[in-house]
Amino acid sequence: MPASPSSMPPRPLEGLRVIVGVCAGIAAYKAVHVVRALTELGADVRVVPTKNSLEFVGAATWEALSHNPVRTSVFQDVDSVAHVRLGQEADAILVVPATADFMASVRMGRADDLLSASLLVTRAPVILAPAMHTEMWEHPATRDNVDVLRSRGVHVIEPASGRLTGADTGVGRLPEPEAIVQFTQSVLAAGERERDLEGSHIVITAGGTSEALDPVRVLTNRSSGKQGAALARAACVRGARVTLVLAGSNIVPPAGVEVVRSVSAADLASAVRELEGKADALIMAAAVSDFTPETSGSKIKKREGESGLTLHLTETEDILRGLTERRVPGRRPRAVCGFAAETGDEHSSALAHAKRKAQAKGADLLAFNDVSKNGFGSDHNELTFLGSSGEILGAASGSKDEVSHAMLDHVAALLTREHG
């Protein structure tokens, strides 16, 4: 029995056309997973491999996964002027893997095959996911090519560090397919926005902290870290250097983002203190434990005849409030932003609680979401943006990538105001 429309998984890229270029690198096999994921998200994917890349993954694989024919040469499908039409009709072009040779060719504006010709024609966002040996990535010629491409608005994802071809290890590894797909989603969600955070350092916290009860058990919360990760991706797309302080989450970290791991509220507070003076903006999206228990050095045992366990909890540091109290005019951070995940109760609505929190915290921007309506772990969110006095500055709803860009619009405005 076919699934009803309401039970079908969301397809956020429905109706969007994405060209996936594939270059001749050993990491081409990972592009298979990228193409599959994009099609499952609803994208109309056209794979355009370079001729030599077919030595790594054949045309039959790309046609089976994309459900579209595969072409490599400008002399194929000539009657439809494919070398122009593909680039003109694309909503985005993603090249994975992008080799050093290919990036040099793109920098020079060459158009000697279907993929490079499509890049020269398109006005859609272009995303390059490089993969190569460390020495090639760090060569001055490659670094110069990357700088020039970025100056033209091309999104060049920073490669990961790890095992390369053979026994080599270092920077140059292709990011995980999931991270590349999510980065592409964020680029598409950005729309016509420019790289307005270029040159800024944005520190973002994400996930949920855990407080040790004993060597086995922890007290934690339901935060998935998805919203913070989406914010990190969006900031990276918009040109920022991003540090993500990630607590207790199993999500794949965004590509091109520096990750600092933390566990407890105290860990996260320490990481933020270390970074705050280096950041232009701090966005506190992590769900931080409000209380921490006294920790037992050994596993707490059940005791015969006792019906329960009494825990003594103490309040943790209010990291966001501390940030605003420590700020010095004219010094970093220039913008401090927080989140308020609230529910209503018998005394007040969720929004009223959030407004009081905004006034108490003193942050430049507070993003409020009603978690009774938009639960943890969802791929969608609904945010209301509040100022330091609790005034409503705006609202956004949609995918977490979309609402991230809406929030960063406010952050960019704050940074522009402070800079001015």
Side-chain angles (χ1 to χ4, degrees), residues 358-388:
Q359 294 166 349
K361 302 288 187 182
D364 300 301
L365 184 72
L366 193 76
F368 152 66
N369 63 317
D370 186 339
V371 291
S372 66
K373 298 177 181 177
N374 301 284
F376 291 107
S378 171
D379 291 322
H380 289 73
N381 210 347
E382 185 174 337
L383 300 180
T384 300
F385 304 115
L386 306 176
S388 58

Side-chain angles (χ1 to χ4, degrees), residues 240-404:
R241 178 166 69 90
V242 181
T243 301
L244 179 65
V245 183
L246 188 58
S249 176
N250 294 321
I251 60 171
V252 175
V257 167
E258 178 190 5
V259 178
V260 175
R261 297 283 182 175
S262 65
V263 178
S264 66
D267 290 339
L268 194 139
S270 177
V272 169
R273 283 180 180 273
E274 178 70 23
L275 291 165
E276 63 183 272
K278 307 170 186 176
D280 293 292
L282 272 157
I283 304 177
M284 307 296 292
V288 182
S289 303
D290 292 319
F291 301 94
T292 188
E294 292 180 350
T295 304
S296 170
S298 58
K299 181 182 176 182
I300 300 171
K301 308 295 192 296
K302 287 184 178 180
R303 290 184 173 85
E304 197 69 35
E306 293 187 6
S307 59
L309 175 69
T310 300
L311 298 178
H312 178 68
L313 303 177
T314 57
E315 286 190 10
T316 59
E317 178 183 345
D318 189 330
I319 303 174
L320 181 58
R321 191 170 189 173
L323 275 169
T324 61
E325 291 175 348
R326 290 193 298 271
R327 293 175 74 183
V328 177
R331 298 179 62 183
R332 292 178 171 178
R334 295 189 286 124
V336 175
C337 310
F339 270 75
E342 292 288 350
T343 62
D345 56 27
E346 67 274 16
H347 303 294
S348 297
S349 67
L351 178 58
H353 283 302
K355 287 183 175 182
R356 282 193 289 272
K357 181 174 285 188
Q359 294 166 349
K361 302 288 187 182
D364 300 301
L365 184 72
L366 193 76
F368 152 66
N369 63 317
D370 186 339
V371 291
S372 66
K373 298 177 181 177
N374 301 284
F376 291 107
S378 171
D379 291 322
H380 289 73
N381 210 347
E382 185 174 337
L383 300 180
T384 300
F385 304 115
L386 306 176
S388 58
S389 299
E391 73 277 19
I392 295 177
L393 302 177
S397 62
S399 71
K400 288 187 172 176
D401 287 309
E402 290 169 331
V403 300
S404 292

Side-chain angles (χ1 to χ4, degrees), residues 107 165 195 419:
R107 184 255 175 91
T165 306
R195 293 169 65 86
H419 185 71

